[in-house]
Amino acid sequence: MIVASMLVLAVGTYLLRLSGPLLRTRVSFPPSAERLLDVAAVVLLTALVAVTALTEGGGPADAARPAGVLVGGVLAWRKASFMVAVLAAAATTAVLRLI
Amino acid sequence: MCLAVGVTSVSYGAVSVASGLPFWFPVVMGTLVLAGSSEFLFVGIVGAGGSPVAGALAGLLVNARHLPYGLALPDVLGRGWRRALGVHVMNDESVVFALTRKENAARSYWTSGIGVLVCWPLGALLGAALGSTVSDPNAFGLDAMFPVVILALILPSLRDRVARRPALLGAVIALVCAPLLPTGLPLLASLAALAAVPLLGGLGTSPSASADASPSADARPSAGPSAGTSGDAESERGRA
């Protein structure tokens, strides 16, 4: 089931990639539709961040995880390097769980 | 750039095995799908006990952006098998390179595209190997890495006000739905925030039109449905 779903995702993604070059010469895509697709992706991914940072199986996550995500998020917002932000998040959460 | 892709893929591999998936899974999916955020989404949904079908659907929604990418892409793909491979290596990075280095678009596109095709599955393999040696990944705070990875990837988009408002609304919707709906569905429910886009100031005319929404831009004639940038900011505060 998991492998079949993964293959559906792979084939579907390939078709999405292929359709642009195929359509390119034939139709014009309204810019507002492009913007809406962009915004939809950001909405989906922001929701993913919120749900994975704050919840665990439908209930709230332990406080250590949101704290780590907050540290990593602030670092990333202040343009720290990607690796620093991610490692700082993990370190913060790990230390809080030790205490 | 390849380093950032590598680090992301290592955490992707580690998160995948931490979610209980076999070690080869992130590598095979990384090669066949080759679109990081959708793979993270798939692994996140499946790992939290959600349906793989919901994971695939959510992944396809995230990957829908490749359609406008393909429309915007200059003629860099070539013909025949080259074209078939060129379509597969279309991703955020290769498209940006092809669009910004016009004089050498094809070379930039292929270099970054193939680079990601090599780095991403290799990093996933390394992450899976590291992740499976750790008995309790949560003790090392690995569960906090995943949200930060995604957050760091979308931060440039969140600095854009036009996307930020529906994104924050969508996050609230997903959190409210999380205790009520099976895993995966709260994420799809977040898309309801798109229906509020016209209320939140519309899509703007272009990403730059919203990026320059500083107080000094007040004199700019308003093209959108809002009464100007300063009034827009006030109404935003009013809602908050």
Side-chain angles (χ1 to χ4, degrees), chain B residues 54-148:
Chain B
L57 287 178
L60 284 174
L61 270 170
V62 170
N63 287 346
R65 70 186 187 284
H66 288 90
L67 206 162
Y69 280 176
L71 289 169
L73 195 65
D75 189 15
V76 295
L77 296 174
R79 294 280 167 268
W81 68 268
R82 264 195 70 137
R83 183 187 162 96
L85 180 63
V87 165
H88 188 53
V89 300
M90 182 192 298
N91 59 44
D92 306 278
E93 292 86 2
S94 61
V95 170
V96 168
F97 274 103
L99 290 176
T100 52
R101 306 206 176 155
K102 292 222 186 292
E103 74 287 351
N104 216 344
R107 195 189 159 82
S108 305
Y109 177 84
W110 280 90
T111 307
S112 56
I114 296 291
V116 170
L117 179 60
V118 172
C119 291
W120 181 256
L122 276 183
L125 182 62
L126 181 63
L130 290 175
S132 54
T133 60
V134 177
S135 55
D136 180 15
N138 283 6
F140 294 88
L142 292 188
D143 55 324
M145 289 173 78
F146 172 68
V148 174

Side-chain angles (χ1 to χ4, degrees), chain A residues 10 15 25 27 35 40 56 62 71 77 85 99:
Chain A
L15 292 177
T25 49
V27 295
R35 286 290 292 148
E56 173 75 57
D62 69 327
V71 168
W77 182 263
I99 300 170

Side-chain angles (χ1 to χ4, degrees), chain B residues 20-229:
Chain B
L21 291 164
F23 79 94
W24 52 265
F25 191 88
V27 183
V28 172
M29 180 156 79
T31 310
L32 293 181
V33 178
L34 198 64
S37 42
S38 69
E39 294 166 32
F40 261 122
L41 194 57
F42 184 93
V43 167
I45 290 174
V46 172
S51 147
V53 176
L57 287 178
L60 284 174
L61 270 170
V62 170
N63 287 346
R65 70 186 187 284
H66 288 90
L67 206 162
Y69 280 176
L71 289 169
L73 195 65
D75 189 15
V76 295
L77 296 174
R79 294 280 167 268
W81 68 268
R82 264 195 70 137
R83 183 187 162 96
L85 180 63
V87 165
H88 188 53
V89 300
M90 182 192 298
N91 59 44
D92 306 278
E93 292 86 2
S94 61
V95 170
V96 168
F97 274 103
L99 290 176
T100 52
R101 306 206 176 155
K102 292 222 186 292
E103 74 287 351
N104 216 344
R107 195 189 159 82
S108 305
Y109 177 84
W110 280 90
T111 307
S112 56
I114 296 291
V116 170
L117 179 60
V118 172
C119 291
W120 181 256
L122 276 183
L125 182 62
L126 181 63
L130 290 175
S132 54
T133 60
V134 177
S135 55
D136 180 15
N138 283 6
F140 294 88
L142 292 188
D143 55 324
M145 289 173 78
F146 172 68
V148 174
V149 166
I150 301 291
L151 184 60
L153 288 177
I154 59 170
L155 264 185
S157 307
L158 287 178
R159 290 181 200 273
D160 172 7
R161 234 165 37 122
V162 168
R164 185 163 70 225
R165 291 174 181 179
L168 294 179
L169 179 60
V172 171
I173 293 173
L175 287 175
V176 169
C177 292
L180 310 171
L181 297 175
T183 310
L185 288 184
L187 293 177
L188 298 182
S190 72
L191 289 173
L194 290 176
V197 161
L199 298 175
L200 298 175
L203 287 170
T205 46
S206 74
S208 59
S210 58
D212 65 8
S214 56
S216 65
D218 275 354
R220 188 169 58 91
S222 171
S226 61
T229 48

Side-chain angles (χ1 to χ4, degrees), chain A residues 20-79:
Chain A
L22 283 185
L23 287 172
R24 190 164 182 258
T25 49
R26 288 164 217 180
V27 295
S28 63
F29 213 61
S32 60
E34 275 182 46
R35 286 290 292 148
L36 194 64
L37 281 178
D38 285 350
V39 174
V42 177
V43 167
L44 210 48
L45 292 169
T46 309
L48 178 67
V49 171
V51 168
T52 53
L54 299 173
T55 72
E56 173 75 57
D62 69 327
R65 192 197 299 166
V69 173
L70 185 66
V71 168
V74 168
L75 283 172
W77 182 263
R78 306 201 58 174
K79 311 217 163 151

